[in-house]
Amino acid sequence: MSELKSFTGIGVGDGVTWGQTYVLAPRPTAPGDAKSVLGAQAETKRLQEAIAFVVEQMKLTASKTDETTAQILHAFLAMLEDPALLEEATLHLNEGWDAQTSIQKAMNSFTELLAGDDVFGERVSDLEELSLRVVAKLTGQDWSMSLPATGPIIVIAQDLSPAETALFTDVVVGVITERGGPTSHTAIICRQRNIPALVAVSGAMEIPNNAGIIVDSNKGLATLANEPANLGNQVTKRTRIGAPVALVKGNVGSVQDAINLAATEANGIGLMRTELLFLSRSSAPTLEEQTELYTAVLKEAPAGEVIFRTLDAGSDKPLPYLGIGKEENPSLGVRGYRIHSLDQNILNTQLSALALAQDKSGRPVSVMAPMIATVEEAVAFATLVRSHGIKTVGVMVETPSICVVLDQLKGIVDFVSIGTNDLSQYLFAADRQNSGVAALLNPWQPALIKTIARICEDARAANIKVGVCGEAAADPLLAIVLAGLGVESLSMAGPAVSKALDYLASVTLDQAKAVAQAALSGKNPAEAKELALAALPN
Ligand code: PEP
Ligand code: MG
């Protein structure tokens, strides 16, 4: 048997599937920088036409796909139709660069602003893809995907963008990608469509085309096999039998996200990331600008609690105007709440704006701080927040240090919200940007689940509510495990809400506890997930 027969990665979804591999052709290549021979006017026309072509193509794709993917594609299109992009490209066209170079330079200056951020960082690859689509049109390169008419097909790719997954037809029963992680677009869309997937599979591109393969997302394993064999647990649809065993809230970053979330069954907002307003500019937003945004979010949010997280900049979300300077290890440096020690105005203005938004909207706000590492920080933060007339205060649990002193937060904070993305990063000493260590960031890692169990126990004893707002909450089976451990609310991206509710309302609390106990006995992520699945009532 050849060594290449099995491939491991991070499983997305809860199913086992078999199909014939369809290896996507490599993406078109972007030529190097070149000066124009046609002149700025002709290049501008070429660029405008190419952008219009890509916009039309995307609109057509969006019109034929499901609602979630269409929403993602429209957000994608908004970036391409942003007048600031053409303005930036025009600067380069006027310097004599050709259309393809100018669009790439323009996109680069946008991506520099967003690079490194986990949430907005996803948009970096979106922008790069958009730029490449325009370049492909300008250079006459074909970028199409013509899936076979009959399946079942397992799509193999380096990475998949929303524009590509939108073209999936019913013949696609599984996906394997070399890149990506538990939070990538591929993972989100496959979860949404109940397509078992494996992401971060090293050597994925060595899988032969047109070969039979089994994808087991529970085990995080793909195995070449000519026959489907016994596929075991299939992707299951869950039937709601009662109230969900935990509240399901939404994660948002903008007013538009809040509007979209209100169309789901989410119970309020569990995480409003305030970074976006700060990231896209050269100086901090004013009190008035912030008040306006926060008020609008409160007005649009679905009924339920609304939790704002104070600015989580620094590290991979650099804001030059904060004056943090260069750091050797920025993810261990001045980020999140730590910015407050550099510049007290930022947090004070933000809290004033949140208090004003509370008054203006007539809706109470809850506020939490990112990257709290000590009890002292939590005390200082809670005191400051309450001095602004905000009653409900929490801290994120993202550092291992705060996990072990939760008992001392009794009477200090009302709630904690576990940021599993960063908690995994710091617990496992594994950079969340590095797909080489993505396996350690698998939210089914037993050490993470055990840590969450302990957080729940200590928080309960201290009378503190526990939520999870990291990506782990968006895995519906894991959501049951978390609820069984004692997590009272789970906050996730809007598209994940409905399926999470299907799962959480399909079990009783005692059943969720049994699923959690089963997961706790797993010795590795695959085993934890398999044991949880086996304990899940039908
Ligand atoms: C987290 O770390 O899990 C989290 C929710 O915060 P962010 O992903 O914005 O860092
Ligand atoms: Mg975080």
Side-chain angles (χ1 to χ4, degrees):
M1 231 186 241
S2 122
E3 289 287 307
L4 280 179
K5 286 223 155 175
S6 289
F7 302 82
T8 53
I10 296 179
V12 173
D14 55 352
V16 189
T17 186
W18 176 89
Q20 296 288 129
T21 57
Y22 175 80
V23 183
L24 279 196
R27 295 181 165 193
T29 47
D33 292 357
K35 290 282 181 169
S36 167
V37 284
L38 301 172
Q41 210 179 347
E43 296 289 357
T44 305
K45 187 160 177 288
R46 286 180 69 229
L47 182 57
Q48 283 170 337
E49 284 171 0
I51 291 177
F53 171 84
V54 176
V55 167
E56 272 322 298
Q57 240 188 358
M58 295 262 179
K59 281 189 178 155
L60 189 66
T61 309
S63 70
K64 291 185 191 158
T65 185
D66 64 88
E67 208 184 315
T68 307
T69 315
Q71 264 180 21
I72 295 176
L73 284 181
H74 280 294
F76 216 56
L77 275 177
M79 298 191 252
L80 200 50
E81 287 179 314
D82 186 345
L85 179 68
L86 199 60
E87 267 170 40
E88 180 75 26
T90 304
L91 294 178
H92 303 296
L93 290 164
N94 289 339
E95 286 164 10
W97 297 104
D98 65 12
Q100 44 271 41
T101 308
S102 301
I103 185 73
Q104 287 180 91
K105 283 182 179 289
M107 285 289 191
N108 284 346
S109 48
F110 277 59
T111 54
E112 269 166 25
L113 271 176
L114 301 172
D117 178 280
D118 257 331
V119 179
F120 308 115
E122 276 270 308
R123 298 191 188 164
V124 171
S125 54
D126 294 349
L127 286 169
E128 283 165 358
E129 182 195 331
L130 283 172
S131 159
L132 197 55
R133 283 186 184 272
V134 175
V135 169
K137 174 65 184 162
L138 284 165
T139 53
Q141 297 180 75
D142 181 31
W143 185 351
S144 54
M145 171 162 71
S146 41
L147 287 168
T150 54
I153 296 296
I154 308 282
V155 173
I156 318 268
Q158 258 191 343
D159 209 349
L160 285 165
S161 70
E164 287 167 321
T165 46
L167 297 173
F168 284 8
T169 56
D170 287 347
V171 301
V172 178
V173 298
V175 163
I176 298 175
T177 63
E178 188 170 68
R179 301 212 190 112
T183 62
S184 60
H185 279 317
T186 308
I188 292 167
I189 290 175
C190 288
R191 239 183 245 126
Q192 180 73 17
R193 294 198 186 175
N194 278 346
I195 298 176
L198 285 191
V199 297
V201 177
S202 85
M205 298 311 286
E206 291 159 32
I207 297 175
N209 200 16
N210 223 1
I213 196 162
I214 295 173
V215 176
D216 184 335
S217 65
N218 299 321
K219 292 196 177 124
L221 187 71
T223 315
L224 289 174
N226 291 332
E227 298 293 328
N230 174 13
L231 296 186
N233 285 307
Q234 298 296 320
V235 174
T236 44
K237 272 215 177 321
R238 308 284 306 167
T239 309
R240 300 187 191 187
I241 55 163
V245 290
L247 287 180
V248 172
K249 299 175 182 289
N251 289 356
V252 301
S254 64
V255 178
Q256 189 55 49
D257 285 352
I259 294 171
N260 295 344
L261 189 69
T264 72
E265 299 170 87
N267 185 307
I269 291 176
L271 168 62
M272 160 65 193
R273 291 178 162 107
T274 55
E275 293 82 86
L276 190 56
L277 183 64
F278 288 77
L279 275 171
S280 52
R281 45 198 302 148
S282 53
S283 61
T286 62
L287 175 71
E288 292 71 29
E289 285 168 321
Q290 293 189 54
T291 308
E292 196 184 324
L293 177 90
Y294 305 151
T295 307
V297 168
L298 284 164
K299 286 190 172 156
E300 300 297 345
E305 185 183 14
V306 178
I307 303 177
F308 285 84
R309 175 174 74 186
T310 56
L311 180 65
D312 186 22
S315 177
D316 42 22
K317 302 168 199 168
L319 287 186
Y321 55 85
L322 291 182
I324 292 173
K326 188 153 171 43
E327 297 173 305
E328 278 297 319
N329 292 300
S331 60
L332 305 179
V334 181
R335 62 163 296 198
Y337 177 74
R338 299 171 186 186
I339 298 164
H340 187 53
S341 59
L342 279 187
D343 181 347
Q344 316 230 321
N345 279 335
I346 298 260
L347 185 55
N348 277 322
T349 308
Q350 201 170 21
L351 292 175
S352 300
L354 285 165
L356 283 168
Q358 181 172 252
D359 292 344
K360 283 190 157 193
S361 66
R363 203 171 164 178
V365 295
S366 300
V367 179
M368 65 181 181
M371 275 298 281
I372 291 289
T374 67
V375 173
E376 258 180 315
E377 287 172 353
V379 170
F381 178 72
T383 310
L384 188 62
V385 174
R386 293 190 209 283
S387 76
H388 280 81
I390 294 167
K391 291 207 174 80
T392 312
V393 188
V395 291
M396 290 192 72
V397 174
E398 299 186 290
T399 60
S401 61
I402 202 72
C403 292
V404 293
V405 289
L406 288 179
D407 57 323
Q408 295 182 32
L409 295 187
K410 185 171 182 173
I412 309 289
V413 296
D414 303 290
F415 68 94
V416 293
S417 184
I418 308 175
T420 47
N421 309 336
D422 274 313
L423 183 55
S424 297
Q425 156 160 275
Y426 297 120
L427 195 58
F428 291 88
D431 181 350
R432 63 192 267 191
Q433 309 288 330
N434 184 341
S435 63
V437 292
L440 291 168
L441 302 170
N442 187 328
W444 285 91
Q445 280 287 0
L448 179 67
I449 299 177
K450 285 209 167 119
T451 304
I452 296 174
R454 178 165 175 191
I455 293 169
C456 290
E457 244 171 65
D458 291 353
R460 188 180 307 113
N463 219 358
I464 295 169
K465 288 196 157 81
V466 181
V468 169
C469 64
E471 208 43 45
D475 177 328
L477 181 59
L478 190 52
I480 293 183
V481 171
L482 297 173
L485 294 175
V487 173
E488 291 144 289
S489 68
L490 296 153
S491 192
M492 60 198 69
V497 166
S498 148
K499 194 170 177 196
L501 277 168
D502 286 348
Y503 272 61
L504 290 164
S506 75
V507 289
T508 63
L509 194 54
D510 280 343
Q511 288 170 334
K513 285 181 183 167
V515 175
Q517 284 312 311
L520 278 172
S521 55
K523 290 186 201 64
N524 56 54
E527 199 177 290
K529 192 169 176 178
E530 256 181 287
L531 290 168
L533 199 57
L536 186 67
N538 285 325

